[in-house]
Amino acid sequence: NTFLTSIISKFLLKFYLRYEHRLETRSEILRDWAVHGPFGKWAAQLLNTSEVRLYNTELIFHRGSESPTCKPAWHRDTVAAPFAPEVPSVVFNIYLHDIDAESDGLIYVRRSHLDPSSMPESIDIIEPRISVGDVLVHSANSYHTTSGRGCFKRRSLQFRYFAGTATLAHGPLRQAGPIPWTFAHAPGVAPHGLKLGDVLQGPWYPLVHPEPLEKEQRSVPEAKPWGILSLGRFVSESISLINTSTGKPAPGFIVMDGVVKNPEEWHWKPMGDTGMMLPSLKKAAWVHS
């Protein structure tokens, strides 16, 4: 276990038994699977691109009935990506057991990936049924959640990829905090050594298709390690940008519900049982109900 499981999950994300990001940097087996397995080729086919890079390998172990909550948490993975929302991306979900919506499996709003700043006019919920050996795939812009039904002790791996050449856009106009994606991607916090606007490449964001680059198959080079001050500066800047004088979130801000395009279509609501107030897309209330 690392800091994410030992501290973040223990005190902030108490519904997770284990929650790890960037596993491909610590496990040779998962690195081989993520970089040399079939996912890169499949991502290229799905995204209709000639080049694909890896941006995360995650592990999620839920506490199941021992969890303090099993409520749905609707979101788009856009908030946890290092690139801009318009960059084509795909997530491969691998479950270690059979799962469906009645056992807290993932559910989706159909066609929600087409516009990460809004919702389809008519809401149609997709509830996949997954067997061991299946691969569940979705866009980072897809609006989804675990169902909250059954409170199952689910176990899964997620392999995340993006298309072509993209630049680091995980800046303060993105929901930030002592949360996994800030540690995984934020400049000055994540150990990739990149600045905003730099091309996503190197051992932290390796090419996987058409062929991995030998120079990227090495340990992450020395970079300034994150500390409380660097994390605090990033989070403070993010908070100052989201809290505008109008009382509405700033245009372009990326949060759990997606990208703020028209601030009038958003309002503030508490996130789950945390009491933390976050911007929520008004149209998403249809889904939450």
Side-chain angles (χ1 to χ4, degrees):
N1 294 345
T2 67
F3 177 78
L4 287 181
T5 288
S6 301
I7 303 297
I8 300 300
S9 292
K10 185 175 181 179
F11 295 102
L12 297 178
L13 304 173
K14 298 180 181 180
F15 36 86
Y16 289 141
L17 180 65
R18 294 188 66 195
Y19 187 31
E20 296 289 343
H21 280 229
R22 308 316 308 245
L23 280 174
E24 80 284 352
T25 66
R26 304 195 303 278
S27 166
E28 289 187 10
I29 293 176
L30 289 178
R31 179 81 172 189
D32 283 346
W33 199 1
V35 174
H36 301 289
F39 299 131
K41 179 180 178 180
W42 294 348
Q45 293 170 341
L46 290 166
L47 300 174
N48 191 28
T49 184
S50 60
E51 289 190 357
V52 171
R53 287 184 176 271
L54 174 72
Y55 75 92
N56 210 345
T57 303
E58 300 173 26
L59 174 148
I60 296 177
F61 283 12
H62 197 272
R63 290 187 179 277
S65 59
E66 300 173 1
S67 169
T69 180
C70 283
K71 293 181 179 179
W74 286 97
H75 65 283
R76 288 180 165 99
D77 292 344
T78 316
V79 71
F83 41 76
E86 59 269 19
V87 175
S89 60
V90 67
V91 180
F92 295 92
N93 301 274
I94 311 296
Y95 281 95
L96 308 185
H97 46 69
D98 298 348
I99 194 168
D100 60 19
E102 298 307 315
S103 51
D104 205 25
L106 287 174
I107 60 177
Y108 300 83
V109 174
R110 189 186 301 274
R111 299 178 67 82
S112 56
H113 66 290
L114 298 177
D115 184 357
S117 67
S118 188
M119 295 290 289
E121 289 301 319
S122 60
I123 302 300
D124 180 18
I125 305 296
I126 304 172
E127 299 189 349
R129 179 182 296 272
I130 303 300
S131 299
V132 171
D134 291 343
V135 180
L136 179 61
V137 187
H138 67 259
S139 162
N141 287 333
S142 295
Y143 198 57
H144 65 288
T145 182
T146 51
S147 69
R149 307 198 298 265
C151 207
F152 182 61
K153 191 176 285 188
R154 49 189 165 80
R155 305 284 188 269
S156 64
L157 295 167
Q158 286 74 41
F159 297 86
R160 301 174 181 271
Y161 301 86
F162 65 92
T165 301
T167 58
L168 181 65
H170 196 101
L173 273 176
R174 197 176 297 247
Q175 184 180 330
I179 44 183
W181 52 84
T182 299
F183 292 110
H185 302 301
V189 181
H192 46 55
L194 301 175
K195 304 183 297 298
L196 289 178
D198 285 352
V199 174
L200 293 169
Q201 60 185 355
W204 202 249
Y205 301 108
L207 185 73
V208 298
H209 184 84
E211 292 291 340
L213 300 176
E214 185 176 352
K215 65 181 181 180
E216 294 182 335
Q217 305 309 308
R218 57 187 175 85
S219 298
V220 177
E222 284 190 19
K224 185 176 181 180
W226 77 273
I228 295 299
L229 291 179
S230 60
L231 176 64
R233 283 192 295 269
F234 188 86
V235 173
S236 177
E237 188 175 358
S238 176
I239 292 173
S240 68
L241 289 172
I242 198 172
N243 292 312
T244 65
S245 59
T246 65
K248 301 289 184 180
F253 213 94
I254 305 174
V255 292
M256 300 286 278
D257 274 3
V259 184
V260 178
K261 185 175 182 180
N262 179 0
E264 296 303 317
E265 295 179 350
W266 294 73
H267 61 177
W268 296 84
K269 63 177 294 186
M271 184 180 77
D273 297 325
T274 66
M276 183 186 303
M277 300 299 291
L278 292 177
S280 178
L281 187 60
K282 293 177 182 178
K283 289 182 179 180
W286 286 41
V287 181
H288 298 171
S289 60

